[in-house]
Amino acid sequence: VSTTSYHHGNLSQALEDAATDLARAGGPEAVVLREAARRAGVSATAAYRHFAGQQDLLERVKQRALGVLAERIGAALALIPRDGDATDAAVARLFAAGRAYVDFARTEPGYFATAFRRTGAEAAEGGSADPEHSELGDDTAFRMLGTILDGLVSSGVMPADDRPHAEYAAWSAVHGLAVLLLDGPLRHMEPADQDAAVERTLRLVVDGLTSGRAMPDAPTGSAAPDPG
Amino acid sequence: VSTTSYHHGNLSQALEDAATDLARAGGPEAVVLREAARRAGVSATAAYRHFAGQQDLLERVKQRALGVLAERIGAALALIPRDGDATDAAVARLFAAGRAYVDFARTEPGYFATAFRRTGAEAAEGGSADPEHSELGDDTAFRMLGTILDGLVSSGVMPADDRPHAEYAAWSAVHGLAVLLLDGPLRHMEPADQDAAVERTLRLVVDGLTSGRAMPDAPTGSAAPDPG
DNA sequence: TGTACATCAGTGAACGCGCGTTCACTGATGTAC
DNA sequence: TGTACATCAGTGAACGCGCGTTCACTGATGTAC
């Protein structure tokens, strides 16, 4: 950007930025190598100095998108007060994380879709083939969810027996909602109904994990998790 | 199929069948008009006598897929005994429907993906533009879900206040699970873990809607409302 | 400080791909009288 | 029962599309001595 030299200086970054813009505007389908090069003011061939190909470029954008999603969730969690009743805080964190997830999807539909697009770049997993190690361990958002659920158990609102695989259940609810709202049959619903569906789903998750032990609407402790 | 005449006789059906095979094997991307025509033993142009174009063909397959999904759920529901405790039956029906949904997705991943693929054929909605009428009202599976949830309320295991929008929450959980398992980050999990994730998610839905009032595993005769 | 040379980061033309779709057409079928 | 004609349901060649990718190349930069 700064220098007009023959050598671009930071073409890799520029291409990734352009590709990110494409993804945000049009989803993963819109991540077209030639267009990204065009926007970077460079021939399509130049991209091959920095990326193995289009799939590689898409994979970078995907990782970015996952990172931003994790950031959004982290930012939402940071707003939850740490003091006060442990149970209220744990429940509030679960709510906040879920809401941030869906908000990201609704605010950045193209970006969200790209985050969960299968790229062809995963055949390069190497021979170590650790079956225990999916990409899940690298997923910051997923680890945050795990921590939140641990908090539900340690604060006593969720039985330890219910803990195993709970992250998959919670994630499914919130992810399914996002998918149905963005691309699915719910996309034509009135916005107010969409909002209601979001609230109802978040409540389903909390109630489902705590079997009704959490009382989000009761004005009991200090931290009030739900705006009403 | 029967006649080898110049006029095919049932080309529309044959094309739709071929397109369905393509979708089942490779998802919506694989629904290629030319390939469907090839399999029907006919030139690509012939398809235009029966369909407006590729999008139209895809839309037919999508509707078929939704129909089959509804059938599967209906078949699973038909196995639930109608006699006995109303609450147990209502809960069992919810479980069965959810499991059938996920089973269909796992058994027929391409078909399932096609059922929820956005086709370009929906700009043809006409001018009436009833905002209340999404395609949801036509969705048999969705209506079945509504009936199941009504059963939870009428049998007393789910408060009537919790009923609004509950179908979106339940659907989200089960749909998200399917998506994460098929195309998402859960697709590399061990099958046993996948099964556990399914069971855990179904339990989340039931617990979330009944706030623990349902006791699916307890061998008691009737509904025991106390979560402990 | 100059110079020779390797390397780096870009260019631009070209290819193949397979698709969806259009076009002018033709052989088969149905119908009116 | 025959015949003229409209219509129906196919054919096959062709086009344009925009992409990802390869190729041989060249100008700019860095480095050894």
Side-chain angles (χ1 to χ4, degrees):
Chain A
V1 178
S2 50
T3 105
T4 331
S5 72
Y6 182 77
H7 282 47
H8 187 285
N10 210 359
L11 182 54
S12 179
Q13 189 82 291
L15 285 170
E16 218 171 296
D17 289 348
T20 299
D21 288 345
L22 292 171
R24 292 179 62 191
E29 333 271 41
V31 178
V32 164
L33 183 142
R34 297 182 84 114
E35 177 62 19
R38 244 172 261 138
R39 294 190 178 202
V42 123
S43 76
T45 320
Y48 288 82
R49 293 283 164 197
H50 303 275
F51 302 95
Q54 187 267 345
Q55 287 292 307
D56 186 27
L57 180 61
L58 177 56
E59 176 67 26
R60 308 290 184 103
V61 179
K62 172 180 169 149
Q63 293 307 323
R64 268 198 187 186
L66 286 169
V68 172
L69 172 58
E71 274 172 25
R72 297 283 178 94
I73 295 173
L77 290 177
L79 297 179
I80 308 297
R82 282 283 190 173
D83 53 358
D85 180 66
T87 292
D88 287 352
V91 170
R93 287 165 62 81
L94 181 59
F95 258 110
R99 205 186 306 274
Y101 192 98
V102 179
D103 281 352
F104 176 68
R106 296 174 81 187
T107 307
E108 293 274 9
Y111 221 8
F112 177 80
T114 307
F116 291 97
R117 182 53 140 241
R118 242 175 119 157
T119 75
E122 46 192 67
E125 270 185 28
S128 71
D130 184 358
E132 207 71 10
H133 168 267
S134 49
E135 64 241 54
L136 256 38
D138 305 332
D139 186 335
T140 307
F142 187 72
R143 281 189 277 109
M144 289 194 272
L145 176 56
T147 303
I148 292 171
L149 297 181
D150 290 344
L152 288 178
V153 173
S154 64
S155 77
V157 78
M158 173 176 164
D161 283 355
D162 291 351
R163 177 64 183 82
H165 299 100
E167 44 268 87
Y168 303 119
W171 189 8
S172 290
V174 128
H175 188 78
L177 180 64
V179 168
L180 291 175
L181 285 174
L182 296 194
D183 259 345
L186 304 191
R187 75 182 170 285
H188 290 133
M189 272 191 3
E190 304 275 353
D193 278 329
Q194 293 194 347
D195 292 343
V198 172
E199 297 311 309
R200 188 65 190 84
T201 301
L202 294 178
R203 201 159 82 70
L204 172 76
V205 172
V206 171
D207 287 353
L209 293 178
T210 66
S211 289
R213 290 178 196 87
M215 314 199 66
D217 279 332
T220 51
S222 47
D226 192 79
Chain B
V1 175
S2 49
T3 104
T4 329
S5 72
Y6 181 77
H7 283 46
H8 187 285
N10 211 358
L11 182 53
S12 179
Q13 190 82 289
L15 286 169
E16 218 172 295
D17 289 348
T20 298
D21 288 345
L22 292 171
R24 291 179 63 191
E29 334 270 41
V31 178
V32 164
L33 182 142
R34 297 181 84 115
E35 178 62 19
R38 243 172 262 137
R39 294 190 178 202
V42 125
S43 77
T45 319
Y48 288 82
R49 292 282 165 200
H50 302 275
F51 302 95
Q54 187 268 345
Q55 288 291 308
D56 186 27
L57 180 59
L58 177 57
E59 176 68 25
R60 309 290 183 102
V61 179
K62 172 181 169 147
Q63 293 307 324
R64 267 198 189 186
L66 286 169
V68 173
L69 172 58
E71 275 173 25
R72 298 284 178 93
I73 294 173
L77 291 177
L79 297 179
I80 308 297
R82 281 283 189 174
D83 53 358
D85 181 66
T87 292
D88 287 351
V91 170
R93 285 164 64 81
L94 181 58
F95 257 110
R99 203 186 306 273
Y101 192 98
V102 179
D103 280 352
F104 176 68
R106 296 175 82 187
T107 305
E108 293 273 11
Y111 220 8
F112 177 80
T114 306
F116 291 98
R117 182 53 140 240
R118 242 175 120 159
T119 75
E122 47 191 66
E125 269 185 28
S128 71
D130 184 358
E132 208 70 10
H133 168 268
S134 50
E135 65 240 54
L136 255 39
D138 305 332
D139 185 334
T140 307
F142 187 73
R143 281 190 276 109
M144 288 194 273
L145 175 57
T147 303
I148 292 170
L149 297 180
D150 290 344
L152 288 179
V153 174
S154 65
S155 76
V157 79
M158 175 176 164
D161 284 354
D162 291 351
R163 178 64 184 83
H165 299 101
E167 43 268 87
Y168 304 118
W171 189 9
S172 291
V174 127
H175 188 77
L177 180 63
V179 168
L180 291 175
L181 284 174
L182 296 193
D183 258 345
L186 303 192
R187 75 181 170 283
H188 289 133
M189 273 191 1
E190 304 275 354
D193 278 329
Q194 293 194 347
D195 292 343
V198 172
E199 296 311 310
R200 187 66 189 87
T201 301
L202 294 178
R203 200 159 81 73
L204 172 77
V205 172
V206 171
D207 288 352
L209 293 178
T210 65
S211 289
R213 291 178 196 86
M215 312 201 68
D217 281 332
T220 58
S222 53
D226 184 26

